[in-house]
Amino acid sequence: MLYDADDHWAKLPPGMGWIEVVGVAADSRDRVFVFCRGDHPLMIFDRDGTFLASWGEGLFKRPHGITIGPDDAVFCTDDHDHTVRKFAREGTLLLTLGTSGKPSDTGATSIDYRTIVRAGPPFHYPTNLALSPDGEMYVSDGYGNARIHKFSPDGRLQFSWGEPGNGPGQFHVPHGIAVDGQGTVYVADRENSRVQLFAPDGRYLDEWIDVARPCQVFIDHGGNVYVAELGFRAGMWSGTTASGPDAPGGRVSIFNPEGELLARRGGGQNPCAPGDFFAPHGICVDSHGDIYVAEVVMSAGGNRGLVPATCHALQKFVRK
């Protein structure tokens, strides 16, 4: 799989910008929805990068994840508000999961997952949402919890699973989530550096370990699995270090449905160069096979001088 990298794809209008980009998603018309931290949290672009519209100003405490359904409904995860909201594509609110500003009781005292005492109900710093082929909603929850919650299409909680830990079905920051065409649930278990696979009823199936702190998972129509990996040079928790001098930085990996590596890009050697990464956080693929990668460059270390403020927060990879 060969791609051309473009880190200046999005053509921002004068006076508009972002601090960092947390997530990206493409709708049925390949319009690209960019979820970012800044004054204009939801920006919409055409495939060629032409700016189309924005909405969401003043709505979010801290954007974190975005998913677009087959009907073009837009699901936005707001980790600091402890909610996931469903919008029509033009921004009309349709549904809210969770209670605004009220985290569940897990004993956590901060966004640091190491303060979690026990698993709890929805939500405590939720991270991302995925849809099943039948429209059921799975939410990864997250920094202040260690659970996956399954909701009916109309927003009723069906059940939850998971607890803090590193065993099968346990999590240290369930950060990203996706569901394939057969209903298998893929969870990016970030701080355990693995992707866990589950049946629709939450039963543990398998794990993939050839990943470096995965943040988000995307599955294309062919069942290929795209993983945005934070790596070991950005977003490190206080007191933690890389596993060794050869530990990779930010990168993107592509696996086939059997978990075999097809392609890998990046590694963080030159994190601000086109095609390399500092802090991959969100990923999606459009109907043409082009890949979009969002990066949290500031909160993962740009605010501490690890990369300059000019480092890219959004890249497009055009498939050759």
Side-chain angles (χ1 to χ4, degrees):
M1 293 182 175
L2 298 176
Y3 299 87
D4 288 327
D6 185 352
D7 63 349
H8 288 85
W9 157 81
K11 303 173 182 67
L12 288 163
M16 292 183 68
W18 46 57
I19 298 170
E20 58 188 3
V21 180
V22 298
V24 60
D27 71 6
S28 64
R29 293 154 53 186
D30 283 333
R31 299 186 310 170
V32 182
F33 287 63
V34 176
F35 200 32
C36 59
R37 293 171 183 161
D39 293 335
H40 305 281
L42 204 297
M43 298 186 190
I44 307 169
F45 297 85
D46 210 343
R47 283 195 71 244
D48 65 0
T50 300
F51 176 81
L52 299 176
S54 71
W55 53 261
E57 289 80 1
L59 284 180
F60 303 101
K61 289 189 178 176
R62 195 177 84 145
H64 194 275
I66 185 171
T67 298
I68 295 181
D71 61 351
D72 286 344
V74 182
F75 298 83
C76 296
T77 304
D78 186 336
D79 62 349
H80 279 199
D81 193 49
H82 312 289
T83 56
V84 180
R85 280 175 278 184
K86 176 182 179 181
F87 299 90
R89 61 186 176 191
E90 76 280 358
T92 302
L93 180 63
L94 302 175
L95 176 70
T96 299
L97 303 177
T99 303
S100 177
K102 294 186 177 180
S104 62
D105 181 10
T106 64
T109 57
S110 74
I111 205 167
D112 187 337
Y113 76 98
R114 294 170 296 185
T115 68
I116 299 170
V117 177
R118 55 191 169 273
F123 296 114
H124 201 135
Y125 298 124
T127 48
N128 277 289
L129 173 144
L131 297 169
S132 78
D134 296 325
E136 296 157 322
M137 298 176 284
Y138 294 85
V139 180
S140 51
D141 182 31
Y143 292 109
N145 205 346
R147 301 279 268 174
I148 303 300
H149 309 289
K150 183 177 181 179
F151 295 85
S152 66
D154 63 358
R156 291 178 292 109
L157 179 64
Q158 295 183 333
F159 60 88
S160 306
W161 77 87
E163 62 183 3
N166 56 18
Q170 298 178 329
F171 304 106
H172 282 323
V173 188
H175 193 281
I177 191 163
V179 183
D180 70 14
Q182 289 69 52
T184 301
V185 182
Y186 294 66
V187 179
D189 185 11
R190 194 180 85 180
E191 297 305 312
N192 283 324
S193 280
R194 61 184 178 178
V195 175
Q196 295 196 67
L197 281 63
F198 300 90
D201 60 3
R203 179 170 41 90
Y204 172 84
L205 299 176
D206 198 3
E207 68 177 17
W208 298 354
I209 59 172
D210 186 17
V211 289
R213 298 177 73 215
C215 274
Q216 182 58 309
V217 182
F218 185 92
I219 302 174
D220 69 16
H221 292 300
N224 294 314
V225 181
Y226 301 72
V227 185
E229 302 172 50
L230 188 59
F232 294 95
R233 297 174 189 162
M236 301 292 286
W237 299 97
S238 176
T240 64
T241 58
S243 56
D246 297 325
R251 66 188 188 186
V252 166
S253 299
I254 307 173
F255 299 90
N256 69 13
E258 289 71 45
E260 298 168 339
L261 182 67
L262 300 177
R264 178 164 279 158
R265 189 73 180 258
Q269 294 292 337
N270 299 290
C272 297
D276 207 345
F277 307 98
F278 178 63
H281 193 263
I283 189 168
C284 78
V285 181
D286 69 15
S287 69
H288 296 260
D290 297 343
I291 304 171
Y292 301 84
V293 181
E295 299 187 61
V296 287
V297 290
M298 293 306 294
S299 60
N303 55 3
R304 301 188 301 280
L306 298 184
V307 291
T310 54
C311 189
H312 47 62
L314 178 67
Q315 296 190 76
K316 178 176 182 175
F317 293 82
V318 180
R319 189 166 183 173
K320 295 182 181 180

